[in-house]
Amino acid sequence: KAAAREALDMPAMQGLDRANLLDSEVITEHRAGHPQAALALCEAASALSAQLGDTHGVIRGMYRRGTFLLELGDATGAVRELQRAADQAEHHGFTLLLRGILFNLVCAYTARTEPRLMLATAQRGWDLQPPLPLVELRIMYRLAFVDAHAALGGLGLAWEHARAAVDDALTLGTQLALAAAVKTCIELFALVGDEDGRLRLLAAID
């Protein structure tokens, strides 16, 4: 962190290199649990990206801003910012960035208890091409479908996505994926009487 700050103070650190380093500092502050500091750095990085005509950097800034607003409790502001980011990312063909934006937009709709918009937005992200490989984001999308269908009363559809999410989480095997699957699916499995699914999941975290 200190090295990055020293680099930012160097007169030679300008242009896209400076914007990208600022964005790295945004991530550092976010991971350290400092959303307000991350948001302030995000504004600086976004302003520089706009000055440079860096469209990807500008959209990335909207994405970051929306995410931090959500963490700071402003779900309405987050939805507004993430919708803008998603529309721009789609327009410019930034598919990888768009997938992350749409997932965070699902989270914002979750915070506002809007399951139909959760479902529609998750489907929009899931349908992007090429298909998501077996990474944690794929499992998070699966779990978003579980939450949305369950909230809409579609327990059968929620269960189908839960089984697929657990299969993916067990194959991937990361702690984050397994913990997320447990949090979202374990109660649903008990509710629908899927003892096999429940035991498979519990065995993986023992």
Side-chain angles (χ1 to χ4, degrees):
K1 183 175 178 179
R5 290 301 169 87
E6 287 177 12
L8 286 169
D9 290 336
M10 294 170 58
M13 182 57 68
Q14 299 297 327
L16 282 175
D17 288 339
R18 183 176 183 83
N20 288 331
L21 186 56
L22 277 168
D23 188 66
S24 295
E25 282 297 282
V26 170
I27 299 303
T28 299
E29 291 292 349
H30 178 239
R31 288 177 175 168
H34 306 145
Q36 286 281 13
L39 185 57
L41 282 167
C42 175
E43 298 296 352
S46 297
L48 182 54
S49 293
Q51 180 184 330
L52 295 167
D54 175 18
T55 301
H56 188 277
V58 170
I59 298 170
R60 179 181 63 192
M62 295 178 193
Y63 173 24
R64 305 272 194 244
R65 192 180 301 113
T67 301
F68 302 148
L69 287 172
L70 180 59
E71 293 184 2
L72 291 166
D74 183 3
T76 298
V79 165
R80 182 174 59 249
E81 200 68 18
L82 291 168
Q83 283 176 335
R84 288 179 57 218
D87 290 344
Q88 288 297 309
E90 186 172 46
H91 175 73
H92 291 283
F94 298 140
T95 302
L96 184 63
L97 186 60
L98 179 57
R99 272 210 172 99
I101 294 168
L102 289 173
F103 178 74
N104 280 273
L105 186 53
V106 170
C107 295
Y109 285 133
T110 301
R112 296 197 340 177
T113 319
E114 297 185 78
R116 294 190 184 281
L117 289 173
M118 288 165 56
L119 182 57
T121 305
Q123 193 67 58
R124 182 180 170 193
W126 185 263
D127 288 344
L128 292 173
Q129 296 299 317
L132 269 167
L134 184 56
V135 294
E136 286 172 349
L137 185 58
R138 175 187 175 89
I139 296 162
M140 297 308 171
Y141 263 100
R142 290 275 197 198
L143 296 174
F145 283 119
V146 175
D147 283 336
H149 282 300
L152 291 167
L155 292 185
L157 289 170
W159 173 76
E160 290 177 12
H161 282 287
R163 293 284 293 195
V166 169
D167 287 343
D168 283 351
L170 291 173
T171 301
L172 188 61
T174 66
Q175 185 176 4
L176 176 61
L178 290 168
V182 169
K183 180 180 178 182
T184 304
C185 302
I186 202 75
E187 185 176 340
L188 175 64
F189 286 155
L191 187 63
V192 300
D194 185 355
E195 187 66 6
D196 175 67
R198 191 181 73 85
L199 291 176
R200 287 173 67 222
L201 197 47
L202 290 175
I205 60 172
D206 280 346

